[in-house]
Amino acid sequence: MKKIVTMGFVIVIVLMTALAGCGKKDVKETTSDQTKEKEVTSDIKDKDVDKDPLANINAAGLPIVNEPVTLKVAAKKRETVKKPFKDLAVLQEIEAATNVHIEWDVAPINGWQEKKNLMLASGDWPDVFWGNYIIENNEVIKFAADGIFIPLEDLIDQHAPNIKKILDETPGLRDYITAPDGHIYALPSINETASSAVSAQFINQAWLDEVGMDIPTTTDELYDVLKAFKGICSNEQTPFTFRFDNNILGLNGMFGSFGLVDNKTKFTVVEDKVLFTPMEEAYKEAVQYFHKLFSEGLMDVESFSQNMPIFKAKVSNKNVGVTNMWSLNWLFGDQHEDAGYVFMPPLKGPKGHQGYMYKNASFLSGKGSFLITETCENPVVAIKWADYMAQQEVSFKLLEGLIYEKDDQGIYQPIPIPEGISNDEFRHAETPGANSFHMLTNAFYENVNVSKGILEKRGYDKIYEQYKTNTFLPPFYLSPEDSSRIAELKGDILSFVNEKTSHWMLEGGIEKEWDSYIKQLKKMKIEEMLNIYQNRYNDFISE
């Protein structure tokens, strides 16, 4: 079986066209004044580059360019990043070091999909798409085939020594990110220390003490505990809250108690067979269980619509009995041991199943985290900018922010999180963090005294490894034709599934509607999607 790379992914795509001046081409000048202004600006900017396209670019060292160059970069950000990207200290440091100015076009995570689709369809592209999961795996191939993204391999070999070193020293990585046509259109975001425990379950210990019950170990015991919690809840409190269709804050991991862990993509692998989880009996049984909880007022109906701030407020104010999160440190900071919540191990279901969400290769994220579009005028500057961020200390700051400081021995020590601030807020105060482009290896972490938050997650990794079950579909590339077909089918199918699932959880009816639901999925060509993924998976494991 193909050796899977030990790292999380960030995508870098670099244009192999013009080598001078990176900034968006002006294609729609409408007045003579604008045209004259453009010509004058171009003459000043490129007066030396006209003689030698590389005159403004330093072959090695910093800054990358002698005269400032502007890149237009599209990105997304999470709710805990409060500052505009241009004001984040880590990104300001990168600009100062490289002399590459960035015009950021940033969208919130929840609005990114729509904005991305409009952006790609319009032809008004940025120079670079930047950040973890900024472009989905199959979109990379689809839009590369359309000519939007360019190959990177020559640019990497000639101008990106840090990236090249990582590719050369990580067995299988170069092959893994190579598209079916032989080109590399995207680089992966890498974090070899990423947790395999995508989510974790927590329960309110104070409420357990009040009702005189222990941490539940089965789904039946959880039902009994939630009923007891309902008896002590005030109007603003709820026995159980979550965020629907969310791998970290949702119910996906808990589906493992019924035989098949769910995930946001809905595709999984069991004994080398690709399955669509919402078509399986285990999925149906899990939905029936959760409907039982909803029908008796044991789960929060706002779970299908609440945003991140509302979710965090409920949990941090101790108004929740049970929930799923990344970790306690993520929300409560260094005071997480006194948060009032305790870890709840995976629950044994009615048929003895006790699985939970676990990624065997958690360092493998999506491949589309740094891409350069066809309209970028200076791909050399773009790839060198990415290569600077691939330096270990720079990637560390991009991912973790300014929450560590180096001591006299060169060891990074965690800075205590101020009281009243979550790890998530502290970490993202001066960096895009989890949504950044970064390439971090285990070797760097030999000089890091990791934070309490990382230590907490490592503890969960050891527990959940015992309960790992069906795996995520590997993030392999499809052919351009298959990528386009998946894109045509996937959106409507997932929308249909999520609509039906939320309805069944709240209102019930899955037993009566299941057969017609399966027929509708088949009518929507789910079997064609399964065949595409199965054929590609078969090729993948035989490579």
Side-chain angles (χ1 to χ4, degrees), residues 396 404 410-414 444-451 454:
F396 185 60
Y404 288 83
I411 304 298
Y412 283 90
Q413 302 290 350
F444 179 80
Y445 276 89
E446 293 176 2
N447 295 314
V448 178
N449 182 15
V450 297
S451 66
I454 292 178

Side-chain angles (χ1 to χ4, degrees), residues 336-348:
H336 69 270
E337 294 176 351
D338 300 321
Y341 295 92
V342 294
F343 175 71
M344 183 173 70
L347 303 170
K348 184 173 292 187

Side-chain angles (χ1 to χ4, degrees), residues 464-480:
Y464 283 124
E465 186 175 11
Q466 304 172 49
Y467 301 101
K468 59 184 179 183
T469 177
N470 52 296
T471 62
F472 285 62
L473 193 67
F476 44 57
Y477 280 140
L478 299 172
S479 68

Side-chain angles (χ1 to χ4, degrees), residues 302-317:
E302 294 181 355
S303 297
F304 296 95
S305 59
Q306 64 187 344
N307 59 24
M308 182 72 83
I310 292 175
F311 171 85
K312 283 185 171 181
K314 289 178 180 179
V315 180
S316 61
N317 289 329

